[in-house]
PDB file of all heavy atoms in Angstrom:
ATOM      1  N   SER A 183     -55.617  20.883  66.109  1.00  0.00           N
ATOM      2  CA  SER A 183     -55.513  22.149  66.827  1.00  0.00           C
ATOM      3  C   SER A 183     -56.131  22.045  68.219  1.00  0.00           C
ATOM      4  O   SER A 183     -55.573  22.528  69.212  1.00  0.00           O
ATOM      5  CB  SER A 183     -56.195  23.259  66.028  1.00  0.00           C
ATOM      6  OG  SER A 183     -56.154  24.485  66.716  1.00  0.00           O
ATOM      7  N   ASP A 184     -57.293  21.382  68.314  1.00  0.00           N
ATOM      8  CA  ASP A 184     -57.940  21.187  69.613  1.00  0.00           C
ATOM      9  C   ASP A 184     -57.074  20.333  70.528  1.00  0.00           C
ATOM     10  O   ASP A 184     -56.949  20.605  71.736  1.00  0.00           O
ATOM     11  CB  ASP A 184     -59.316  20.538  69.435  1.00  0.00           C
ATOM     12  CG  ASP A 184     -60.302  21.471  68.746  1.00  0.00           C
ATOM     13  OD1 ASP A 184     -60.052  22.698  68.757  1.00  0.00           O
ATOM     14  OD2 ASP A 184     -61.301  20.971  68.191  1.00  0.00           O
ATOM     15  N   ASP A 185     -56.466  19.281  69.976  1.00  0.00           N
ATOM     16  CA  ASP A 185     -55.598  18.412  70.774  1.00  0.00           C
ATOM     17  C   ASP A 185     -54.391  19.184  71.302  1.00  0.00           C
ATOM     18  O   ASP A 185     -53.978  19.011  72.462  1.00  0.00           O
ATOM     19  CB  ASP A 185     -55.135  17.209  69.944  1.00  0.00           C
ATOM     20  CG  ASP A 185     -56.279  16.254  69.632  1.00  0.00           C
ATOM     21  OD1 ASP A 185     -57.313  16.334  70.339  1.00  0.00           O
ATOM     22  OD2 ASP A 185     -56.140  15.448  68.696  1.00  0.00           O
ATOM     23  N   ASP A 186     -53.816  20.042  70.436  1.00  0.00           N
ATOM     24  CA  ASP A 186     -52.664  20.838  70.874  1.00  0.00           C
ATOM     25  C   ASP A 186     -53.058  21.796  71.993  1.00  0.00           C
ATOM     26  O   ASP A 186     -52.297  21.997  72.957  1.00  0.00           O
ATOM     27  CB  ASP A 186     -52.095  21.630  69.679  1.00  0.00           C
ATOM     28  CG  ASP A 186     -51.451  20.726  68.649  1.00  0.00           C
ATOM     29  OD1 ASP A 186     -51.117  19.580  69.005  1.00  0.00           O
ATOM     30  OD2 ASP A 186     -51.294  21.161  67.486  1.00  0.00           O
ATOM     31  N   GLU A 187     -54.258  22.400  71.866  1.00  0.00           N
ATOM     32  CA  GLU A 187     -54.720  23.337  72.883  1.00  0.00           C
ATOM     33  C   GLU A 187     -54.958  22.627  74.215  1.00  0.00           C
ATOM     34  O   GLU A 187     -54.592  23.122  75.287  1.00  0.00           O
ATOM     35  CB  GLU A 187     -55.998  24.024  72.416  1.00  0.00           C
ATOM     36  CG  GLU A 187     -56.468  25.133  73.345  1.00  0.00           C
ATOM     37  CD  GLU A 187     -57.696  25.837  72.798  1.00  0.00           C
ATOM     38  OE1 GLU A 187     -58.055  25.574  71.621  1.00  0.00           O
ATOM     39  OE2 GLU A 187     -58.283  26.637  73.540  1.00  0.00           O
ATOM     40  N   LYS A 188     -55.554  21.437  74.163  1.00  0.00           N
ATOM     41  CA  LYS A 188     -55.798  20.671  75.390  1.00  0.00           C
ATOM     42  C   LYS A 188     -54.479  20.270  76.035  1.00  0.00           C
ATOM     43  O   LYS A 188     -54.315  20.312  77.261  1.00  0.00           O
ATOM     44  CB  LYS A 188     -56.624  19.429  75.072  1.00  0.00           C
ATOM     45  CG  LYS A 188     -58.071  19.725  74.697  1.00  0.00           C
ATOM     46  CD  LYS A 188     -58.813  18.442  74.343  1.00  0.00           C
ATOM     47  CE  LYS A 188     -60.251  18.731  73.933  1.00  0.00           C
ATOM     48  NZ  LYS A 188     -60.970  17.495  73.534  1.00  0.00           N
ATOM     49  N   ALA A 189     -53.510  19.850  75.217  1.00  0.00           N
ATOM     50  CA  ALA A 189     -52.215  19.450  75.757  1.00  0.00           C
ATOM     51  C   ALA A 189     -51.510  20.634  76.408  1.00  0.00           C
ATOM     52  O   ALA A 189     -50.864  20.493  77.465  1.00  0.00           O
ATOM     53  CB  ALA A 189     -51.353  18.863  74.646  1.00  0.00           C
ATOM     54  N   SER A 190     -51.639  21.809  75.778  1.00  0.00           N
ATOM     55  CA  SER A 190     -51.017  23.010  76.339  1.00  0.00           C
ATOM     56  C   SER A 190     -51.638  23.369  77.681  1.00  0.00           C
ATOM     57  O   SER A 190     -50.927  23.696  78.656  1.00  0.00           O
ATOM     58  CB  SER A 190     -51.170  24.163  75.354  1.00  0.00           C
ATOM     59  OG  SER A 190     -50.639  25.357  75.885  1.00  0.00           O
ATOM     60  N   LYS A 191     -52.961  23.302  77.771  1.00  0.00           N
ATOM     61  CA  LYS A 191     -53.642  23.613  79.037  1.00  0.00           C
ATOM     62  C   LYS A 191     -53.258  22.620  80.122  1.00  0.00           C
ATOM     63  O   LYS A 191     -53.040  22.983  81.277  1.00  0.00           O
ATOM     64  CB  LYS A 191     -55.156  23.610  78.830  1.00  0.00           C
ATOM     65  CG  LYS A 191     -55.673  24.791  78.018  1.00  0.00           C
ATOM     66  CD  LYS A 191     -57.187  24.724  77.881  1.00  0.00           C
ATOM     67  CE  LYS A 191     -57.715  25.919  77.094  1.00  0.00           C
ATOM     68  NZ  LYS A 191     -59.191  25.861  76.923  1.00  0.00           N
ATOM     69  N   TYR A 192     -53.158  21.350  79.746  1.00  0.00           N
ATOM     70  CA  TYR A 192     -52.779  20.320  80.728  1.00  0.00           C
ATOM     71  C   TYR A 192     -51.364  20.550  81.232  1.00  0.00           C
ATOM     72  O   TYR A 192     -51.072  20.425  82.428  1.00  0.00           O
ATOM     73  CB  TYR A 192     -52.907  18.935  80.091  1.00  0.00           C
ATOM     74  CG  TYR A 192     -52.536  17.797  81.010  1.00  0.00           C
ATOM     75  CD1 TYR A 192     -53.366  17.446  82.082  1.00  0.00           C
ATOM     76  CD2 TYR A 192     -51.352  17.088  80.813  1.00  0.00           C
ATOM     77  CE1 TYR A 192     -53.007  16.415  82.938  1.00  0.00           C
ATOM     78  CE2 TYR A 192     -51.005  16.056  81.657  1.00  0.00           C
ATOM     79  CZ  TYR A 192     -51.828  15.715  82.718  1.00  0.00           C
ATOM     80  OH  TYR A 192     -51.486  14.694  83.556  1.00  0.00           O
ATOM     81  N   PHE A 193     -50.451  20.881  80.330  1.00  0.00           N
ATOM     82  CA  PHE A 193     -49.077  21.146  80.714  1.00  0.00           C
ATOM     83  C   PHE A 193     -48.992  22.350  81.661  1.00  0.00           C
ATOM     84  O   PHE A 193     -48.269  22.320  82.673  1.00  0.00           O
ATOM     85  CB  PHE A 193     -48.217  21.393  79.468  1.00  0.00           C
ATOM     86  CG  PHE A 193     -46.810  21.766  79.752  1.00  0.00           C
ATOM     87  CD1 PHE A 193     -45.882  20.810  80.154  1.00  0.00           C
ATOM     88  CD2 PHE A 193     -46.383  23.093  79.642  1.00  0.00           C
ATOM     89  CE1 PHE A 193     -44.564  21.163  80.437  1.00  0.00           C
ATOM     90  CE2 PHE A 193     -45.088  23.442  79.909  1.00  0.00           C
ATOM     91  CZ  PHE A 193     -44.163  22.469  80.319  1.00  0.00           C
ATOM     92  N   LYS A 194     -49.764  23.420  81.364  1.00  0.00           N
ATOM     93  CA  LYS A 194     -49.767  24.615  82.219  1.00  0.00           C
ATOM     94  C   LYS A 194     -50.331  24.307  83.602  1.00  0.00           C
ATOM     95  O   LYS A 194     -49.869  24.832  84.609  1.00  0.00           O
ATOM     96  CB  LYS A 194     -50.563  25.733  81.562  1.00  0.00           C
ATOM     97  CG  LYS A 194     -49.879  26.340  80.338  1.00  0.00           C
ATOM     98  CD  LYS A 194     -50.731  27.421  79.709  1.00  0.00           C
ATOM     99  CE  LYS A 194     -50.058  28.015  78.481  1.00  0.00           C
ATOM    100  NZ  LYS A 194     -50.883  29.061  77.816  1.00  0.00           N
ATOM    101  N   SER A 195     -51.352  23.441  83.634  1.00  0.00           N
ATOM    102  CA  SER A 195     -51.930  23.095  84.950  1.00  0.00           C
ATOM    103  C   SER A 195     -50.945  22.305  85.796  1.00  0.00           C
ATOM    104  O   SER A 195     -50.960  22.418  87.028  1.00  0.00           O
ATOM    105  CB  SER A 195     -53.215  22.279  84.743  1.00  0.00           C
ATOM    106  OG  SER A 195     -52.920  21.022  84.176  1.00  0.00           O
TER     107      SER A 195
END
Side-chain angles (χ1 to χ4, degrees):
S183 178
D184 292 340
D185 291 341
D186 292 341
E187 186 177 351
K188 290 178 181 178
S190 177
K191 289 181 179 179
Y192 180 71
F193 176 76
K194 289 179 181 179
S195 67

